[in-house]
Structures are given as structure tokens and as C-alpha cells.
């Protein structure tokens, strides 16, 4: 599955065959690069931050990274990739990724950063959050608009006060995140950290019970007339409204959730099958899914992952394949039918 193609990019990048960094590069390229950028430059898909940003690397601990990869950022396109949470990566894969990202250049760590204990006033922090326009990018509830979230339970679990403070004070040069050191006093920055902290909610480390996606009964409305979609011109993106309308009219279709199974278990469109883009199940799907029925792939990001699944199906000779244009979170926010847990309906 981790076929590197005709040239071995990991070797081209200077990693000795068989080392942890060599495998890490391949894993990163397959599972991460299409959102975070192949050099960690970020933003190939919405809000996927710049992982090779020197200020980020300087302040993020190994535990911060590992928890982000294993548990993800629930409610965002960042899946829980750890096998224990229903994702595809084993502990050794995660440590290979760590060996790979270690080659990105970074300044020396800051002495004592993660031991800083910060005190401040939440209400002043809130006033500043609005005054400085943090909400324009991060949202009024901190869940992220044009930037990653700053209220996510797993972010706040993994990030020390010092990490948050450093991000606000120094920013992330080369990205949209400004540094506020020149604009705000030390105490004001602390007040903002206290505000972000006040958004923390308990995290869930509980692994879901084992789940094996399968392809039995993939059809929604099996007895209905076949759905017929018109993708946006020159693309395979199908507007969500079309899908919703035909679904509720009782037309026959297949919805394929391309995200990690960990996401599917948290919530998916009612009736969708789980078909993670990386899973061997995709090969089986090419063999067994009907070719006379539209298949709409979706993810949360809103195209990167579903686009890969759709392309695999097209490469497998399927003609009626589309990608849900606005993605899962739009569907959920419209309050169209979704379900959680293991049932499809
Ligand atoms: C113009 C948009 C913008 C504004 C305004 C902005 N941010 Fe950010 N912020 C970002 C982006 C983009 C990132 C991620 C950058 C990256 O790729 O590393 C970020 C990152 C962060 C992070 C680190 C999050 C993480 O997961 O690593 C924190 C904390 C943060 N911002 C807090 C704030 C606060 C507090 C304010 C207001 C004082 C603010 N930001 C204003 C765009 C913005
Ligand atoms: C589908 C797109 C997508 C894929 C694939 C993806 N990520 Fe992410 N990742 C995101 C987004 C979006 C965020 C920010 C989420 C938020 O709003 O808090 C994120 C956040 C992160 C963070 C936390 C950064 C911070 O400052 O808080 C790390 C670390 C990370 N990703 C690493 C990875 C690694 C390693 C992989 C591959 C195993 C990966 N990601 C795969 C979209 C993705």
C-alpha cells in the first residue's frame, strides 16, 4: 500500500533505506502530506497547519505530537490515526513519523517553556480575544474558521501553558498567525492563555470496541430509481444539496466515508459505508461495488481524503463517482441525517 512508485522519494530525500526516518517519510507522504504539505508547509487542505514551522517545532514536545497523531483533533479533519482509536497507525509507525519530522530544521528548545505556570483574568482575555480579532480566524468559540481551532479538547490537553503563550507572543512566521509580543503586555498575553484554558473539556482516551468495516449492503434506497448527479463543471465535486435532495426522494446511491474508521465511529452520514482511503477494503470495493449506481465519497477536509478514494474508484474503472463538495461537517451543520456508533442508519 505504501508503494513509493518508480523513484523512491525517501531515498531521494536522503534517508538511508530501512531506517526509521526512511519509513517515516513514506508514512508521512501517504497519510499526512496531502493535507499538511509534503514538506510540512501546511494548508494543502483547510486549516491543516504548517508542521515544519520552526516556531511550532520549537514549542511542541514529542508527547504533544504523539497525542495529536494518535487521538487527532476530534470534530476536525485531523483524524485519530492511532490503531488503538480505530485508525491505521501502529506505535512503530508513529515513532517512524517522529524520526522523519526530526529532520526539519528548528531552533533550540526554550528552557523551562513547559514548566511555566500562567495566571490571569479570563474576562480580560475574552475582551482581548475580540479586540485583537482572534475570533476572525479562530472563531468565537475557538473552534477555528480560517485557522486551526484553539479550543479543541485534545489541543488543550496536550499543550502546556508555555506552548500557548509562545504561539501568541511569537506567532508562526510564514503563516497567518501574527505574533502579539509588540502589541500586548505580558499580562495581556497571559490573560489570553487563561481564556483558552477555560475552554478545555475532558478528553476521551477510551478506545472504541473493535470495528471491521465491510461492504455488505452498500446501497441506500436499494429499490429506488438510480440517483443522477451533476458535478461542478470540470470536477467530480457534487454539491451536498443535490445529494441530500435525491437521498430524501428515495433515489438509489452509495455514500462512502473515506475518513479513518475512528471518524466514522464518532459520526457519519446515515446509510454511508466506511471505506477508509488507505484500507485494503478499497481494492475489494473495486471488485464488488455495483457500477450502475452513483458512489459519492466524502470526508471532512472537505476534499483531500475523499478525492483520493474517488480517484482510486475512477482508476478502477468506475464511471459514476463523485465527491461531496462541502464535506461531512457542512452536512452535519445543516442537520441532515447523521448517526454515530456502528450502525449505518
Ligand atoms: C489572521 C488569522 C489569525 C489571527 C488574527 C490569529 N490567529 Fe492564531 N493562528 C492562526 C493560524 C493560521 C495558526 C496556525 C499556524 C500554523 O500553521 O502553525 C494559528 C495558531 C494559533 C495558536 C497555536 C495553535 C496550535 O494548535 O498550534 C494559538 C494558541 C493561537 N493561534 C492563538 C491566537 C490568539 C489568542 C489570537 C488573538 C490574539 C490569534 N491566534 C490570532 C491564525 C490567526
Ligand atoms: C485530512 C487532512 C489531514 C490529514 C490527512 C492529517 N492532518 Fe494533521 N491536522 C489537520 C488539521 C485540519 C489540523 C488542525 C485541527 C484543528 O483545527 O485543531 C491538524 C492538526 C495536526 C497536529 C496538531 C498541530 C497543532 O499545532 O495543534 C499535528 C501534530 C498533526 N496534525 C500531524 C499530522 C500527522 C503526523 C498526520 C499523518 C499521520 C496528519 N496530521 C494527517 C488535517 C490533517
Amino acid at each position: 500500500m505504501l508503494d513509493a512508485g518508480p523513484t523512491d522519494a525517501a531515498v531521494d530525500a536522503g534517508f538511508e533505506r530501512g531506517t526509521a526516518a526512511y519509513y517515516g517519510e513514506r508514512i508521512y507522504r501517504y497519510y499526512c502530506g496531502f493535507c499538511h504539505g509534503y514538506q510540512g508547509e501546511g494548508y494543502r487542505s483547510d486549516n491543516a497547519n504548517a508542521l515544519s514551522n520552526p516556531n511550532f517545532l520549537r514549542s511542541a514536545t514529542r508527547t504533544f505530537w504523539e497525542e495529536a497523531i494518535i487521538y487527532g483533533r476530534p470534530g476536525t479533519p485531523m483524524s485519530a490515526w492511532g490503531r488503538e482509536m480505530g485508525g491505521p497507525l501502529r506505535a512503530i509507525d508513529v515513532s517512524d513519523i517522529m524520526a522523519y519530522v526530526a529532520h526539519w530544521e528548528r531552533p533550540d528548545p526554550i528552557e523551562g517553556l513547559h514548566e511555566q505556570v500562567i495566571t490571569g483574568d479570563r474576562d480580560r482575555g475574552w475582551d482581548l480575544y475580540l479586540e485583537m480579532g482572534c475570533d476572525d480566524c479562530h472563531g468565537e468559540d475557538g473552534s477555528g474558521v480560517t485557522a486551526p481551532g484553539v479550543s479543541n479538547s485534545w489541543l488543550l490537553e496536550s499543550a502546556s501553558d508555555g506552548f500557548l503563550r509562545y504561539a501568541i507572543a511569537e506567532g508562526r512566521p510564514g503563516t497567518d498567525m501574527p505574533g502579539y509580543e509588540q502589541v500586548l503586555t505580558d499580562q495581556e498575553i497571559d490573560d489570553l492563555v487563561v481564556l483558552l484554558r477555560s475552554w478545555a473539556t475532558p478528553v476521551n482516551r477510551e478506545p472504541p470496541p473493535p470495528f471491521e468495516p465491510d461492504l455488505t449492503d452498500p446501497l441506500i434506497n436499494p429499490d429506488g430509481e438510480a440517483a443522477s448527479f451533476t458535478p461542478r463543471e470540470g470536477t467530480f465535486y457534487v454539491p451536498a444539496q443535490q445529494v441530500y435532495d435525491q437521498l430524501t426522494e428515495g433515489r438509489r446511491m452509495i455514500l462512502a466515508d473515506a475518513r479513518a474508521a475512528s471518524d466514522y465511529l464518532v459520526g457519519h452520514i446515515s446509510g454511508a459505508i466506511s471505506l477508509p482511503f488507505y484500507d485494503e477494503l478499497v481494492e475489494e470495493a473495486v471488485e464488488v461495488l455495483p457500477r450502475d449506481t452513483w458512489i459519492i465519497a466524502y470526508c471532512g477536509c472537505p476534499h483531500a481524503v475523499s478525492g483520493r478514494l474517488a480517484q482510486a474508484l475512477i482508476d478502477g474503472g468506475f464511471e459514476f463517482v463523485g465527491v461531496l463538495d462541502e464535506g461531512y461537517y457542512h452536512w452535519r451543520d445543516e442537520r441532515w441525517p447523521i448517526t454515530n456508533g456502528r450502525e449505518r442508519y
Side-chain angles (χ1 to χ4, degrees):
M1 212 184 318
L2 290 177
D3 182 13
T7 65
D8 192 330
V11 171
D12 294 349
F15 299 112
E16 207 174 312
R17 208 176 282 278
T19 57
Y22 168 86
Y23 289 116
E25 193 277 342
R26 292 162 64 111
I27 298 166
Y28 180 87
R29 183 151 37 87
Y30 189 79
Y31 288 102
C32 322
F34 61 98
C35 286
H36 289 286
Y38 293 96
Q39 311 301 326
E41 69 278 14
Y43 307 101
R44 281 180 76 96
S45 102
D46 291 355
N47 298 356
N49 61 295
L51 294 175
S52 60
N53 181 275
N55 278 8
F56 170 66
L57 291 172
R58 190 176 200 197
S59 51
T61 62
R62 186 178 176 102
T63 309
F64 179 95
W65 270 90
E66 287 172 346
E67 288 182 339
I69 298 171
I70 294 169
Y71 298 103
R73 295 278 190 260
T76 80
M78 178 63 187
S79 305
W81 297 100
R83 188 159 287 189
E84 56 273 58
M85 299 309 286
L89 301 183
R90 302 162 298 171
I92 178 101
D93 301 323
V94 176
S95 85
D96 287 350
I97 294 176
M98 296 313 297
Y100 167 63
V101 301
H103 89 285
W104 285 331
E105 255 178 77
R106 66 194 73 193
D108 291 334
I110 305 151
E111 194 92 18
L113 182 71
H114 303 292
E115 284 76 53
Q116 291 177 11
V117 179
I118 284 171
T119 53
D121 184 310
R122 184 198 178 278
D123 294 341
R124 266 200 322 255
W126 174 240
D127 292 342
L128 287 164
Y129 189 81
L130 298 178
E131 218 172 285
M132 293 292 126
C134 314
D135 57 324
D136 292 344
C137 299
H138 292 293
E140 262 198 50
D141 58 356
S143 67
V145 184
T146 60
V150 287
S151 60
N152 190 274
S153 58
W154 267 108
L155 168 68
L156 294 169
E157 171 76 8
S158 310
S160 64
D161 284 356
F163 173 96
L164 298 171
R165 182 176 215 296
Y166 184 70
I168 301 168
E170 304 284 339
R172 300 271 170 80
T175 77
D176 288 347
M177 177 62 192
Y180 289 89
E181 207 174 29
Q182 312 295 327
V183 190
L184 299 174
T185 65
D186 285 354
Q187 186 56 57
E188 286 173 328
I189 295 178
D190 289 355
D191 294 339
L192 282 162
V193 173
V194 170
L195 168 73
L196 300 192
R197 275 276 165 251
S198 74
W199 281 332
T201 47
V203 294
N204 182 8
R205 289 177 193 266
E206 200 60 45
F211 168 73
E212 280 295 328
D214 72 61
L215 297 172
T216 40
D217 302 330
L219 296 176
I220 302 178
N221 302 324
D223 303 323
E225 185 193 338
S228 164
F229 297 116
T230 318
R232 274 204 281 130
E233 211 182 327
T235 71
F236 49 28
Y237 302 140
V238 175
Q241 187 73 49
Q242 275 190 36
V243 179
Y244 174 72
D245 288 345
Q246 297 198 33
L247 195 71
T248 46
E249 283 162 17
R251 308 276 291 261
R252 185 175 83 247
M253 67 181 78
I254 295 171
L255 295 179
D257 189 321
R259 303 170 299 164
S262 43
D263 292 320
Y264 181 85
L265 290 173
V266 173
H268 55 264
I269 298 181
S270 299
I273 52 172
S274 172
L275 195 48
F277 75 92
Y278 52 78
D279 203 274
E280 282 152 19
L281 203 63
V282 175
E283 283 159 41
E284 194 185 323
V286 169
E287 300 299 320
V288 305
L289 291 183
R291 288 171 183 250
D292 62 349
T293 301
W294 270 88
I295 304 174
I296 300 291
Y298 72 85
C299 65
C301 43
H303 294 149
V305 169
S306 47
R308 284 175 69 142
L309 175 60
Q311 196 56 54
L313 294 171
I314 289 167
D315 294 345
F318 284 79
E319 202 180 327
F320 303 117
V321 176
V323 158
L324 188 71
D325 195 12
E326 299 89 338
Y328 173 74
Y329 292 107
H330 169 81
W331 187 283
R332 183 198 63 184
D333 294 343
E334 289 289 325
R335 300 182 172 271
W336 294 342
I338 58 171
T339 177
N340 58 14
R342 325 172 76 67
E343 306 77 25
R344 283 177 47 207
Y345 295 92

